[in-house]
PDB file of all heavy atoms in Angstrom:
ATOM      1  N   TYR A1068       1.183 -20.059  31.633  1.00  0.00           N
ATOM      2  CA  TYR A1068       1.033 -19.400  32.918  1.00  0.00           C
ATOM      3  C   TYR A1068       0.956 -20.445  34.033  1.00  0.00           C
ATOM      4  O   TYR A1068       0.502 -21.566  33.826  1.00  0.00           O
ATOM      5  CB  TYR A1068      -0.232 -18.549  32.924  1.00  0.00           C
ATOM      6  CG  TYR A1068      -0.312 -17.602  31.761  1.00  0.00           C
ATOM      7  CD1 TYR A1068      -1.044 -17.921  30.624  1.00  0.00           C
ATOM      8  CD2 TYR A1068       0.373 -16.390  31.775  1.00  0.00           C
ATOM      9  CE1 TYR A1068      -1.100 -17.067  29.540  1.00  0.00           C
ATOM     10  CE2 TYR A1068       0.327 -15.530  30.690  1.00  0.00           C
ATOM     11  CZ  TYR A1068      -0.419 -15.869  29.574  1.00  0.00           C
ATOM     12  OH  TYR A1068      -0.453 -15.026  28.499  1.00  0.00           O
ATOM     13  N   LEU A1069       1.387 -20.038  35.214  1.00  0.00           N
ATOM     14  CA  LEU A1069       1.234 -20.872  36.398  1.00  0.00           C
ATOM     15  C   LEU A1069       0.569 -20.018  37.474  1.00  0.00           C
ATOM     16  O   LEU A1069       1.189 -19.086  38.005  1.00  0.00           O
ATOM     17  CB  LEU A1069       2.582 -21.394  36.891  1.00  0.00           C
ATOM     18  CG  LEU A1069       2.496 -22.376  38.069  1.00  0.00           C
ATOM     19  CD1 LEU A1069       1.847 -23.694  37.624  1.00  0.00           C
ATOM     20  CD2 LEU A1069       3.893 -22.651  38.655  1.00  0.00           C
ATOM     21  N   GLN A1070      -0.685 -20.307  37.731  1.00  0.00           N
ATOM     22  CA  GLN A1070      -1.410 -19.625  38.796  1.00  0.00           C
ATOM     23  C   GLN A1070      -1.173 -20.384  40.096  1.00  0.00           C
ATOM     24  O   GLN A1070      -1.490 -21.573  40.188  1.00  0.00           O
ATOM     25  CB  GLN A1070      -2.901 -19.573  38.485  1.00  0.00           C
ATOM     26  CG  GLN A1070      -3.743 -18.909  39.560  1.00  0.00           C
ATOM     27  CD  GLN A1070      -3.430 -17.441  39.723  1.00  0.00           C
ATOM     28  OE1 GLN A1070      -3.287 -16.712  38.749  1.00  0.00           O
ATOM     29  NE2 GLN A1070      -3.308 -16.982  40.968  1.00  0.00           N
ATOM     30  N   MET A1071      -0.625 -19.699  41.071  1.00  0.00           N
ATOM     31  CA  MET A1071      -0.271 -20.338  42.338  1.00  0.00           C
ATOM     32  C   MET A1071      -1.093 -19.702  43.452  1.00  0.00           C
ATOM     33  O   MET A1071      -0.950 -18.519  43.733  1.00  0.00           O
ATOM     34  CB  MET A1071       1.228 -20.175  42.611  1.00  0.00           C
ATOM     35  CG  MET A1071       2.127 -20.674  41.485  1.00  0.00           C
ATOM     36  SD  MET A1071       3.874 -20.625  41.881  1.00  0.00           S
ATOM     37  CE  MET A1071       4.128 -18.861  42.018  1.00  0.00           C
ATOM     38  N   ASN A1072      -1.934 -20.500  44.071  1.00  0.00           N
ATOM     39  CA  ASN A1072      -2.782 -20.040  45.169  1.00  0.00           C
ATOM     40  C   ASN A1072      -2.412 -20.781  46.440  1.00  0.00           C
ATOM     41  O   ASN A1072      -1.757 -21.824  46.413  1.00  0.00           O
ATOM     42  CB  ASN A1072      -4.255 -20.281  44.830  1.00  0.00           C
ATOM     43  CG  ASN A1072      -4.705 -19.541  43.589  1.00  0.00           C
ATOM     44  OD1 ASN A1072      -4.253 -18.428  43.311  1.00  0.00           O
ATOM     45  ND2 ASN A1072      -5.615 -20.140  42.827  1.00  0.00           N
ATOM     46  N   SER A1073      -2.860 -20.251  47.559  1.00  0.00           N
ATOM     47  CA  SER A1073      -2.605 -20.874  48.864  1.00  0.00           C
ATOM     48  C   SER A1073      -1.133 -21.243  49.018  1.00  0.00           C
ATOM     49  O   SER A1073      -0.787 -22.366  49.420  1.00  0.00           O
ATOM     50  CB  SER A1073      -3.483 -22.125  49.029  1.00  0.00           C
ATOM     51  OG  SER A1073      -4.844 -21.804  48.908  1.00  0.00           O
ATOM     52  N   LEU A1074      -0.283 -20.304  48.725  1.00  0.00           N
ATOM     53  CA  LEU A1074       1.155 -20.572  48.753  1.00  0.00           C
ATOM     54  C   LEU A1074       1.641 -20.877  50.165  1.00  0.00           C
ATOM     55  O   LEU A1074       1.133 -20.333  51.156  1.00  0.00           O
ATOM     56  CB  LEU A1074       1.914 -19.381  48.180  1.00  0.00           C
ATOM     57  CG  LEU A1074       1.907 -19.319  46.646  1.00  0.00           C
ATOM     58  CD1 LEU A1074       2.220 -17.921  46.147  1.00  0.00           C
ATOM     59  CD2 LEU A1074       2.894 -20.326  46.070  1.00  0.00           C
ATOM     60  N   LYS A1075       2.622 -21.767  50.221  1.00  0.00           N
ATOM     61  CA  LYS A1075       3.216 -22.198  51.486  1.00  0.00           C
ATOM     62  C   LYS A1075       4.705 -21.864  51.479  1.00  0.00           C
ATOM     63  O   LYS A1075       5.315 -21.770  50.404  1.00  0.00           O
ATOM     64  CB  LYS A1075       3.052 -23.706  51.648  1.00  0.00           C
ATOM     65  CG  LYS A1075       1.622 -24.203  51.559  1.00  0.00           C
ATOM     66  CD  LYS A1075       1.567 -25.724  51.624  1.00  0.00           C
ATOM     67  CE  LYS A1075       0.151 -26.248  51.511  1.00  0.00           C
ATOM     68  NZ  LYS A1075       0.105 -27.735  51.571  1.00  0.00           N
ATOM     69  N   PRO A1076       5.316 -21.724  52.653  1.00  0.00           N
ATOM     70  CA  PRO A1076       6.762 -21.461  52.685  1.00  0.00           C
ATOM     71  C   PRO A1076       7.569 -22.514  51.922  1.00  0.00           C
ATOM     72  O   PRO A1076       8.601 -22.185  51.320  1.00  0.00           O
ATOM     73  CB  PRO A1076       7.077 -21.479  54.180  1.00  0.00           C
ATOM     74  CG  PRO A1076       5.814 -21.023  54.824  1.00  0.00           C
ATOM     75  CD  PRO A1076       4.717 -21.611  53.990  1.00  0.00           C
ATOM     76  N   GLU A1077       7.103 -23.745  51.902  1.00  0.00           N
ATOM     77  CA  GLU A1077       7.835 -24.798  51.194  1.00  0.00           C
ATOM     78  C   GLU A1077       7.738 -24.669  49.673  1.00  0.00           C
ATOM     79  O   GLU A1077       8.392 -25.413  48.946  1.00  0.00           O
ATOM     80  CB  GLU A1077       7.370 -26.190  51.631  1.00  0.00           C
ATOM     81  CG  GLU A1077       5.872 -26.406  51.594  1.00  0.00           C
ATOM     82  CD  GLU A1077       5.222 -26.189  52.957  1.00  0.00           C
ATOM     83  OE1 GLU A1077       5.577 -25.201  53.660  1.00  0.00           O
ATOM     84  OE2 GLU A1077       4.330 -26.994  53.307  1.00  0.00           O
TER      85      GLU A1077
END
Side-chain angles (χ1 to χ4, degrees):
Y1068 308 97
L1069 185 68
Q1070 179 65 44
M1071 305 186 294
N1072 299 325
S1073 302
L1074 281 160
K1075 304 176 181 180
E1077 51 264 43

